[in-house]
Amino acid sequence: MSIPVISAREADVLALLGEHLSNAEMAARLFISVRTVESHVSSLLRKLEVPDRRALSRHAGEPTRAERTRPVPALPAPLTAFVGRTRERGELAAAVTERRLVTAVGLGGVGKTRLALAVAADVAGDFADGVCFVDLVPVTDPGRVGAAVAAAMGVGEQPGRGIDDALVAALADRQALLVVDNCEQVHEGVAPFLERLLVACPGIRVLATSRARLMVPFEWVFPVPPLSRVGGGASEAAALFLERAAAVGRAPAPAERDRIAELCERLDGMALAIELAAARWSTLGLDGLTAGLGDQLRILAGGPRADGRHRSVRAVLDWSHDLLEPRDRALLRRVSAFVAPFTAEAAAEVAGFAPLETAAVADGLGRLAEQSLLAVTPSDTGTRYQALETLRQYGTERLTDAGELDDVRSRHLAWCLAGAAGLREGGGTDWRARFDAVAEDLRAALTWSAGRPEQRADACRLALSLAELTFTRNLLGEAQQRYEQVASLAAAAAAASADAAAALRQAAGVAGCRRLGDDMYRLHRAAAEAARRAGDAAGAARDLAAAATAAYRFSSTFTGRVPPADEVTGLLAAAREPTGDDDPAVEAALALAEAAVVADAFGAVQGAPDNTAPDTVVCAERAVELARRAGDPVARSAALDALSGARSWAGESFAAAAAARARIDILTSAPSAPARTHELIDALAMAAATAVGTGELSAARRWGSRLADRPQLAEVGDHATSWLLVADALAGHTDAVLTSSVRFLDAWEQSGRQRSFSLGPAAASVAMIHGLRGDHEARATWLTITDRTGSEQDHRHGHGAVFDTMVLLHHGDTDAALERIAPEPEQVWKWVCWVWLHWYTALRAEAAVLAGHPDARGRVTAARAVVAGNPIASALVDRAEALLDGDLPRLLATASAFEAADCRYQWSRTLLLAGGEHAATGASALADLGLAPMAARSPHRRRR
């Protein structure tokens, strides 16, 4: 028998059902809303194929297989046993469970990381959402601390907000322990990040390790002392030496333990020093270790190195280093350039120069690993090596002493450039893993090279590669940052201002994917300025026109101030200034800006109210023709979007839908780039929306599914599922709506409860389904959500009128339905002409017939002319007329039309309206859809 697959949250709900808790009790226990619990219960009933909650409770103890949408963070598995620290382990565990932020503070090599991992494993069961470990060693940019935590937690970016904002939103209701290791090197980034996280996420606790306290509110400092030497040969320090020495070959004899204790005392109980010394035990013995340490101990003066314990660690490092052959010393210091685990081939490219032969690198890595100076990690792509952070810092100092720092870092930069080029050219199923393996090295090399004028050209190349790679990896926030970094690096050279402008245009495209209209506007204006400095008047004109267009076309995605009309018209006027060249691309950009700003084809919030639909269509058609001549698929798509909007203003729903679909055909074959990706996301949304408007629900679901699957929308399930929800709701696919509504609501809440023209209809469609199910409490909840997700006027006069009328008609309240949809379409044209015109007109006719309105026939006749060609709206009008005439055969014919149009709800409703022997079939079909029985139809009252 197959094991049902359920989500991790559904597994939590199922377990609580086994405890016979109510929905409210489960919501409180899981820190989620009651409506979310209801949706999970509905999903479990369907997946487990059981009839009720009692049956679900019996399933609570049975096996299920959980799927998570994100990888579950896990603690690293230490390769060696944890020794000692009994007192510290207990005290730190108690502190972590009682306090918001605990910082384990100690010198490098004292054993902070191993202690933190042991404690995290001990207390993991106290946190409902588990424990996550974040190693900040690879992070070289303080601004990327949040990104590193998000990557470890499996939290992705969300359009309209930065990665730090997305992370805070995702963790707001979680109960988890976050272990943040090696904070000292990016202290200035860690401190503000953790302060914000702790304030916004009350269920998160943090265990940090650092060489100094973080100076963050709520911080409780736990000093990590060296290992205890109390007890001599039976001490914790001696026990660590004995365990590690036995692991490399020969266990010390009992008689040697007192001398081992003396050695550990000389090492001040520092865990790293003891482990390095123990690694030499099998070859040097106790006499060799004692002599080597005594001969090589050098007292370092000044700064933090004056501390005695730190001197002991450095003594061991110096001593271990000096015992190496010259070629292995060179290798050890040179591989410190790598941040992430590296291969032997990579090491050969960076470290393989005199006095070290390239062919000898692999053997040298093996020898360093044998001396515990490198960690060895097997992977799917072969063996990888890594130096601990303390050894990396030590190696960097040695590079400086040897005068090799710039040479090695330059070779590392060249290796990164080559690796980035290979990633840009190659794909494959393992592309993501290959990028992740080198990403931190790319970032580190860029950080180093960006600050050196002589490396500026290579830094610019690497920043551009990293921008493209992170965009492909769906790290949109970083991609925009890197494109802007390219522009900054390029702008330093006057001749490269054109490159700066190109990079800023790409950054604007990424900002579009992130739903950041403010940034699109800013970046296009910055690109215009860069183009002007480069002497590219045509490019500057295009960018000014693009900024003006963005201000109107994407005004709903501005998170701050929407540019006022006079500011935007000023940009358009500047763009119109002669460039001295008849550039088709400039003409196309200007035509689109005029359609947006002058004719308001996109219905922007700052648009003029007196534009006529025919004039708007003419203006948009001109933009389409000029974009076609320019040969730019992205420009053609944008112009077609303007035409789609203009056609909808003119009431030409089918022409609007055709223009929206043409965009997808054009973009599918266009070269991949941020602007093209942004256009495609928008085109899919518009294609789905306009298909809803023309009654093509199968097509709407197809486009909506493609939209929901876009990787750029993985973290914004509200926008991703919006039109799919609408199409499924109108079709009567109840289970699909209830399932998708969970993703929609969770994403909307995590995104900061944004408003959008597409979110309001989606929430209203869920409210309608709950209304059709007879769950009026859930419907009221979703109507409240509708008020917060979209425009009140849109809900009052547009989509809300359509969905509310369907619910009222379902429950037999025909007078209320007639009142809800009373205004003539011309009175509410702004809110119904785009998607809802046909639905509004057809339902208005049906409500008139069912309520016995004196002008019911006139409304039917008027509606028929409007909805012609729409399979569902036409069937609604035909059904209304059949009811008006008492024509049963014609009424039943509309059932077939609804079934052919994939609208099972209206098919079922038609059979119920037909009555007699057909009513039982309709009632059964409604039950199969998970909907409540429809109110009996009162006898039809014909009025003349």
Side-chain angles (χ1 to χ4, degrees):
M1 186 176 91
S2 64
I3 299 176
V5 177
I6 66 174
S7 71
R9 183 59 84 188
E10 287 169 345
D12 294 336
V13 171
L14 184 60
L16 295 181
L17 282 168
E19 299 179 26
H20 305 286
L21 299 184
S22 68
N23 285 356
E25 290 170 328
M26 287 190 286
R29 183 83 65 87
L30 298 175
F31 296 95
I32 58 179
S33 65
V34 173
R35 59 182 176 272
T36 302
V37 173
E38 293 170 349
S39 297
H40 286 314
V41 171
S42 298
S43 179
L44 287 167
L45 289 170
R46 183 180 70 259
K47 290 182 177 181
L48 298 179
E49 300 179 349
V50 294
D52 52 33
R53 292 171 66 98
R54 181 176 299 178
L56 279 178
S57 299
R58 291 195 294 268
H59 269 270
E62 297 182 7
T64 57
R65 179 160 53 91
E67 287 184 330
R68 290 184 180 263
T69 57
R70 298 186 179 98
V72 181
L75 292 173
L79 299 178
T80 55
F82 185 78
V83 177
R85 301 278 192 196
T86 303
R87 178 187 62 81
E88 295 96 327
R89 189 170 180 174
E91 291 179 359
L92 188 54
V96 166
T97 56
E98 296 171 0
R99 303 177 186 276
R100 298 294 309 284
L101 169 62
V102 179
T103 306
V105 173
L107 299 169
V110 78
K112 301 184 295 294
T113 300
R114 289 301 304 273
L115 176 61
L117 286 172
V119 168
D122 291 342
V123 302
D126 296 335
F127 296 90
D129 293 302
V131 179
C132 179
F133 178 82
V134 185
D135 185 3
L136 295 183
V137 164
V139 181
T140 56
D141 180 356
R144 290 197 55 77
V145 170
V149 176
M153 293 292 292
V155 175
E157 297 182 20
Q158 294 181 343
R161 57 172 52 196
I163 188 64
D164 287 10
D165 293 334
L167 178 64
V168 168
L171 301 186
D173 61 351
R174 290 201 199 179
Q175 288 186 306
L177 173 64
L178 188 62
V179 181
V180 186
D181 195 30
N182 292 297
C183 295
E184 61 276 350
Q185 64 177 29
V186 282
H187 174 274
E188 61 272 34
V190 173
F193 168 77
L194 288 183
E195 181 174 358
R196 180 184 178 197
L197 181 74
L198 290 169
V199 170
C201 305
I204 297 296
R205 295 178 187 268
V206 176
L207 172 57
T209 74
S210 179
R211 295 185 183 180
R213 64 173 300 180
L214 302 177
M215 303 298 290
V216 180
F218 319 119
E219 181 182 24
W220 193 77
V221 177
F222 184 89
V224 179
L227 287 166
S228 172
R229 280 89 70 204
V230 176
S235 67
E236 291 183 342
L240 177 62
F241 185 98
L242 292 169
E243 199 277 338
R244 299 296 191 259
V248 297
R250 179 174 66 86
E256 297 174 303
R257 293 193 176 188
D258 288 342
R259 294 181 63 194
I260 288 173
E262 293 175 4
L263 178 65
C264 292
E265 185 66 43
R266 293 186 62 186
L267 295 175
D268 282 348
M270 298 297 287
L272 174 62
I274 291 171
E275 293 199 7
L276 288 171
R280 290 287 189 172
W281 166 261
S282 62
T283 55
L284 295 179
L286 189 57
D287 290 341
L289 286 172
T290 303
L293 182 59
D295 292 344
Q296 299 300 319
L297 183 61
R298 289 186 288 274
I299 304 300
L300 303 177
R305 296 174 184 171
D307 185 274
R309 293 172 183 167
H310 195 76
R311 285 199 299 265
S312 295
V313 174
R314 179 166 292 281
V316 173
L317 292 175
D318 286 341
W319 163 67
S320 296
H321 172 270
D322 291 348
L323 287 175
L324 298 173
E325 294 291 331
R327 57 182 179 174
D328 289 345
R329 293 179 195 171
L331 180 59
L332 180 63
R333 64 178 180 261
R334 292 171 183 176
V335 296
S336 68
F338 290 100
V339 177
F342 55 88
T343 64
E345 292 78 9
E349 290 188 41
V350 173
F353 61 96
L356 182 63
E357 296 181 1
T358 301
V361 168
D363 287 342
L365 293 173
R367 288 191 295 273
L368 293 176
E370 290 171 0
Q371 304 304 320
S372 298
L373 295 172
L374 292 179
V376 183
T377 305
S379 71
D380 294 339
T381 56
T383 301
R384 290 183 176 269
Y385 302 86
Q386 186 175 26
L388 297 178
E389 177 60 15
T390 301
L391 288 168
R392 281 192 65 243
Q393 294 176 5
Y394 180 82
T396 300
E397 292 179 3
R398 285 290 183 171
L399 277 177
T400 302
D401 294 342
E404 295 179 345
L405 183 62
D406 286 349
D407 193 8
V408 170
R409 288 288 176 84
S410 295
R411 293 173 71 94
H412 179 252
L413 173 62
W415 175 79
C416 287
L417 284 166
L423 285 167
R424 291 169 69 186
E425 295 170 0
T429 56
D430 64 339
W431 184 92
R432 177 172 175 168
R434 288 188 290 116
F435 170 78
D436 290 347
V438 299
E440 291 299 345
D441 276 293
L442 301 184
R443 293 170 180 136
L446 179 55
T447 298
W448 175 79
S449 59
R452 288 163 173 75
E454 71 277 8
Q455 300 285 0
R456 194 179 307 277
D458 282 342
C460 194
R461 287 174 52 210
L462 184 55
L464 181 58
S465 293
L466 196 52
E468 295 175 358
L469 293 171
T470 50
F471 183 79
T472 302
R473 181 64 174 79
N474 204 30
L475 301 174
L476 302 185
E478 183 177 1
Q480 181 179 329
Q481 173 196 348
R482 299 304 178 190
Y483 277 122
E484 293 194 55
Q485 187 176 17
V486 171
S488 177
L489 290 167
S497 292
D499 293 336
L504 289 167
R505 291 174 195 128
Q506 297 284 54
V510 182
C513 294
R514 301 176 68 203
R515 295 184 58 81
L516 292 175
D518 318 58
D519 278 5
M520 289 188 73
Y521 182 70
R522 170 181 63 83
L523 290 164
H524 277 303
R525 294 190 68 174
E529 178 59 24
R532 185 193 62 76
R533 288 196 304 268
D536 181 8
R542 290 199 310 272
D543 286 311
L544 288 171
T549 300
Y552 273 60
R553 185 183 178 197
F554 301 113
S555 59
S556 65
T557 68
F558 276 66
T559 58
R561 179 189 72 105
V562 176
D566 57 349
E567 178 179 311
V568 180
T569 53
L571 292 180
L572 183 54
R576 287 169 171 157
E577 293 180 3
T579 64
D581 184 16
D582 293 331
D583 189 331
V586 173
E587 293 181 3
L590 286 171
L592 178 61
E594 289 165 356
V597 178
V598 178
D600 192 23
F602 300 107
V605 294
Q606 70 272 50
D610 55 354
N611 293 306
T612 66
D615 289 343
T616 304
V617 170
V618 170
C619 193
E621 287 178 331
R622 177 172 177 270
V624 170
E625 175 58 23
L626 289 174
R628 185 192 64 77
R629 294 179 190 174
D632 182 350
V634 172
R636 288 182 65 192
S637 171
L640 282 167
D641 190 30
L643 181 59
S644 181
R647 292 291 190 191
S648 71
W649 283 119
E652 302 172 11
S653 301
F654 295 101
R661 294 176 188 181
R663 296 174 63 194
I664 298 174
D665 294 336
I666 291 168
L667 293 167
T668 299
S669 58
S672 181
R676 176 261 187 190
T677 301
H678 176 219
E679 278 293 326
L680 183 57
I681 291 171
D682 186 74
L684 289 169
M686 294 302 100
T690 53
V692 166
T694 55
E696 300 168 274
L697 295 185
S698 294
R701 294 184 72 250
R702 182 167 67 253
W703 303 129
S705 295
R706 284 184 60 180
L707 181 69
D709 291 340
R710 291 296 305 179
Q712 294 81 14
L713 302 182
E715 300 298 328
V716 280
D718 46 355
H719 290 284
T721 61
S722 56
W723 289 110
L724 185 59
L725 273 170
V726 172
D728 278 335
L730 289 170
H733 297 159
T734 306
D735 286 348
V737 171
L738 294 178
T739 299
S740 294
S741 69
V742 175
R743 180 185 176 192
F744 176 94
L745 184 58
D746 287 346
W748 177 68
E749 290 178 337
Q750 289 183 14
S751 69
R753 301 186 175 186
Q754 296 178 337
R755 290 183 183 269
S756 170
F757 74 93
S758 63
L759 299 185
S765 71
V766 179
M768 181 193 74
I769 285 294
H770 283 297
L772 297 180
R773 295 174 67 219
D775 190 342
H776 300 295
E777 181 180 354
R779 179 171 183 254
T781 298
W782 275 92
L783 286 175
T784 301
I785 295 169
T786 302
D787 291 339
R788 297 175 180 174
T789 53
S791 160
E792 189 276 334
Q793 293 291 342
D794 283 343
H795 182 256
R796 176 61 191 158
H797 301 298
H799 58 78
V802 169
F803 292 131
D804 289 350
T805 299
M806 289 180 66
V807 173
L808 292 168
L809 291 176
H810 183 90
H811 292 291
D813 196 348
T814 56
D815 289 337
L818 190 64
E819 178 63 24
R820 183 69 180 89
I821 208 161
E824 295 282 350
E826 292 78 9
Q827 294 178 270
V828 290
W829 188 258
K830 178 178 180 180
W831 295 281
V832 300
C833 64
W834 176 48
V835 170
W836 309 108
L837 176 61
H838 292 179
W839 292 91
Y840 186 94
T841 305
L843 287 169
R844 191 167 180 272
E846 179 174 332
V849 169
L850 292 176
H853 190 277
D855 191 32
R857 190 171 296 281
R859 290 192 179 184
V860 167
T861 301
R864 189 176 302 287
V866 173
V867 305
N870 183 318
I872 296 176
S874 293
L876 286 171
V877 174
D878 287 344
R879 185 174 71 189
E881 188 170 44
L883 290 169
L884 187 63
D885 295 335
D887 189 339
L888 181 61
R890 189 178 178 192
L891 179 64
L892 293 174
T894 65
S896 299
F898 287 126
E899 188 171 29
D902 190 27
C903 192
R904 294 286 292 175
Y905 168 65
Q906 294 296 348
W907 172 78
S908 305
R909 177 172 165 75
T910 302
L911 296 179
L912 281 160
L913 288 170
E917 62 185 17
H918 306 289
T921 302
S924 176
L926 274 184
D928 289 343
L929 293 175
L931 303 179
M934 197 174 79
R937 182 168 67 96
S938 48
H940 175 57
R941 297 170 293 160
R942 298 187 64 179
R943 296 181 184 177
R944 296 186 182 274

